Amino acid sequence: MKKVIFKGDILFTPTKDKFETYRNSYLVSEEGKIVGVFERLDEKYRDYPIVDYSDKLIIPGFVDIHLHAPQYMNMGLGMDKELIPWLNTYTFPEESRFKDLDYAKEVFLKLVQDLIRHGTTSAVVYSSIHKDTTKLLMDLFIESKLRAYVGKVNMDRNANTELKEDTEKSLRDTEEIILEYRDKSPLVKPIITPRFVPSCTEELMKGLGELALKYDVPVQSHLNENRGEIQWVEELHPQFPNYSSVYDHFSLFGQTKTIMAHCIYNKDEEIDLMAERGVYAAHCADSNFNLSSGIMPVRKYLDKGVNVGLGSDISGGHSLSIPRAIVGTIQASKMKWLETNRELKPISCSEAFYMATKGGGSFFGKVGSFEEGYETDLLVVDDSNINDIERLTLEERIERFLYVGDYRNIVERYVAGERIEALSRLNIQTVI
């Protein structure tokens, strides 16, 4: 739809500090961009078609800034292990299977269908090391009309035989994907993806940093997730003062747009550098609990001005639900509050919702809010089966949906003003 008005109970977070709410109001969109939210319509909009979602919540689409597509079938497995044993026992063997394009397509179709189901309209995604598999995943996201960054994983050391890449081939494959996909779709873009420092030689990290700068391509990786991992980085790179400085040395830390996942044990100087460089932190509460990694001090990052978004981090996390990530973020912050003798104030519902929408969405640009000029990415939520919609405020209704609702309450999804169909109804043309 070029011009359209959505009518309903509208709720979003222009800032993290509070919800902005409009009961029985109108969201005006032109060419897939938000014009504004109005309690009454101006005469100039009289010829615009109105899509009536009265009594339903209209909220921004959810944004997941950290997930591993090849780990989809492993969700809920190995949750009694810590990070490195879990990688070696479950993750690396599963990711090795993705050299088989038939298997990859089977899994990725289910993944994208599940993302749509859960209301994730934008995602930052790890593929496997395999070039053609990564292209398949990007084509599938293009067909789905979701918004995504997708990265071919790079790793040329400390991996099993099937996942350990030749350094030059890894760089060539990465560059090929960048050149083929950087202008192929306005919604789906490549992202440079060194798995983490222990799996990448200095030669590989140097080459990836050069590609990031040459083509102005964003970067994603992991940072300070697990104490054993941090000790490993110190042993591999004793010449650097901390984990972040390794990435920074190779132009992988904010020299282009960057996401670092987990960030549980960052030193103050690392957080300060993230704030200075505009590096995003992907908070993955479920995964941090499941793999006994720790609790990220999210409040410290927010207070220092670091951009924080939320990640499902499947399959360290065991669900693609961003509402679940919102609740987990709030709960984890309460435990951190107790752990720090009430120094770091718990995260509020509006703050967690902001991180799941505009906070993470800003990595894509004007995504995750209903302010003028933002992308018309939205969800329609029918909460009538879980809420007394006449008695509760809109803030109370959204909180209850986040805690006790699920994907079945999401009745419509839009990206850039276009309605997203369930994947089973799409005509996927991806060629294997």
Side-chain angles (χ1 to χ4, degrees):
M1 297 180 184
K2 300 292 185 181
K3 298 178 180 179
V4 63
I5 297 170
F6 301 95
K7 181 183 179 184
D9 294 333
I10 300 165
L11 182 148
F12 59 108
T13 47
T15 71
K16 62 182 174 59
D17 299 317
K18 66 174 185 177
F19 288 103
E20 193 161 314
T21 62
Y22 297 82
R23 190 180 287 274
N24 195 30
S25 295
Y26 304 89
L27 177 66
V28 179
S29 173
E30 295 178 353
E31 306 297 332
K33 309 282 187 184
I34 301 295
V35 174
V37 180
F38 307 99
E39 294 179 335
R40 287 176 294 278
L41 284 174
D42 190 279
E43 181 68 16
K44 65 184 176 182
Y45 300 123
R46 64 180 179 180
D47 295 327
Y48 287 32
I50 296 177
V51 184
D52 193 345
Y53 295 118
S54 292
D55 298 326
K56 296 178 177 62
L57 294 171
I58 299 176
I59 63 174
F62 293 126
V63 181
D64 186 339
I65 68 167
H66 185 67
L67 69 97
H68 295 262
Q71 296 177 22
Y72 178 73
M73 299 303 289
N74 271 3
M75 283 194 296
L77 297 177
M79 299 290 93
D80 57 345
K81 296 184 181 297
E82 290 190 43
L83 175 65
I84 303 304
W86 173 79
L87 287 171
N88 290 326
T89 305
Y90 286 94
T91 301
F92 291 161
E94 175 65 11
E95 290 192 12
S96 299
R97 299 186 66 182
F98 282 78
K99 63 180 179 293
D100 179 343
L101 286 173
D102 289 317
Y103 180 70
K105 185 172 184 180
E106 177 187 347
V107 173
F108 290 160
L109 282 168
K110 292 176 182 177
L111 166 71
V112 176
Q113 182 175 359
D114 219 3
L115 286 169
I116 294 170
R117 180 185 297 119
H118 284 291
T120 298
T121 53
S122 301
V124 185
V125 185
Y126 285 58
S127 182
S128 64
I129 66 165
H130 309 98
K131 178 184 68 177
D132 292 338
T133 296
T134 302
K135 290 182 179 183
L136 185 154
L137 180 59
M138 297 183 80
D139 288 339
L140 185 53
F141 269 108
I142 291 170
E143 291 281 351
S144 75
K145 298 183 181 179
L146 295 179
R147 195 182 303 278
Y149 281 103
V150 179
K152 187 203 92 63
V153 168
N154 305 100
M155 47 195 303
D156 65 345
R157 66 173 175 179
N158 295 319
N160 62 25
T161 303
E162 291 185 300
L163 290 181
K164 184 178 177 182
E165 298 184 283
D166 172 77
T167 304
E168 287 302 318
K169 184 178 187 304
S170 182
L171 292 169
R172 286 197 307 272
D173 288 352
T174 300
E175 186 170 26
E176 180 179 323
I177 290 168
I178 291 169
L179 291 172
E180 184 174 339
Y181 284 88
R182 61 178 176 168
D183 298 317
K184 187 172 184 178
S185 164
L187 296 180
V188 180
K189 301 290 184 182
I191 185 168
I192 287 172
T193 308
R195 182 176 214 109
F196 64 162
V197 166
S199 68
C200 298
T201 62
E202 293 191 10
E203 181 183 358
L204 179 57
M205 287 188 282
K206 179 177 183 291
L208 293 173
E210 290 171 350
L211 289 175
L213 293 173
K214 180 178 180 180
Y215 297 110
D216 191 26
V217 177
V219 172
Q220 63 176 344
S221 197
H222 299 82
L223 178 65
N224 290 319
E225 178 179 358
N226 172 279
R227 292 189 188 277
E229 166 212 11
I230 295 167
Q231 182 179 349
W232 195 8
V233 172
E234 291 172 352
E235 293 168 355
L236 290 168
H237 298 280
Q239 72 275 33
F240 291 103
N242 54 54
Y243 200 153
S244 300
S245 64
V246 183
Y247 290 119
D248 187 40
H249 179 78
F250 296 107
S251 301
L252 298 167
F253 203 74
Q255 288 82 0
T256 60
K257 198 162 51 174
T258 302
I259 292 175
M260 288 289 157
H262 302 287
C263 300
I264 299 170
Y265 300 106
N266 286 28
K267 299 173 183 177
D268 286 345
E269 57 267 28
E270 294 178 278
I271 302 175
D272 291 339
L273 186 61
M274 291 179 73
E276 177 186 330
R277 295 281 179 79
V279 175
Y280 284 68
H283 177 42
C284 310
D286 270 359
S287 176
N288 295 346
F289 284 138
N290 287 339
L291 300 180
S292 305
S293 297
I295 303 174
M296 178 187 173
V298 178
R299 175 64 61 197
K300 181 182 288 189
Y301 287 79
L302 296 179
D303 288 348
K304 285 179 173 284
V306 175
N307 295 309
V308 181
L310 301 187
S312 63
D313 192 29
I314 63 163
S315 66
H318 57 283
S319 171
L320 282 170
S321 168
I322 293 301
R324 183 185 183 99
I326 290 171
V327 172
T329 294
I330 296 168
Q331 292 172 330
S333 75
K334 292 177 179 179
M335 296 303 99
K336 181 57 73 172
W337 175 67
L338 291 173
E339 184 184 281
T340 60
N341 293 318
R342 306 193 176 191
E343 177 187 341
L344 298 176
K345 185 175 71 171
I347 301 300
S348 69
C349 188
S350 70
E351 288 175 315
F353 186 88
Y354 176 91
M355 286 186 267
T357 53
K358 186 178 178 180
S362 63
F363 191 78
F364 292 84
K366 289 189 172 183
V367 170
S369 185
F370 293 152
E371 299 160 75
E372 183 180 0
Y374 272 67
E375 300 284 345
T376 307
D377 296 1
L378 62 86
L379 305 176
V380 180
V381 178
D382 182 354
D383 59 328
S384 59
N385 69 321
I386 57 171
N387 281 330
D388 181 344
I389 61 176
E390 297 299 324
R391 181 178 64 84
L392 298 181
T393 66
L394 297 191
E395 293 96 327
E396 289 171 330
R397 285 171 62 186
I398 192 64
E399 182 178 25
R400 186 165 169 82
F401 162 66
L402 294 172
Y403 275 84
V404 304
D406 60 33
Y407 66 86
R408 290 169 292 185
N409 296 105
I410 303 172
V411 295
E412 297 290 357
R413 303 132 178 95
Y414 290 81
V415 173
E418 286 198 48
R419 184 172 174 269
I420 301 300
E421 297 281 355
L423 193 61
S424 60
R425 284 175 275 165
L426 288 175
N427 181 24
I428 302 299
Q429 299 296 328
T430 307
V431 178
I432 293 182

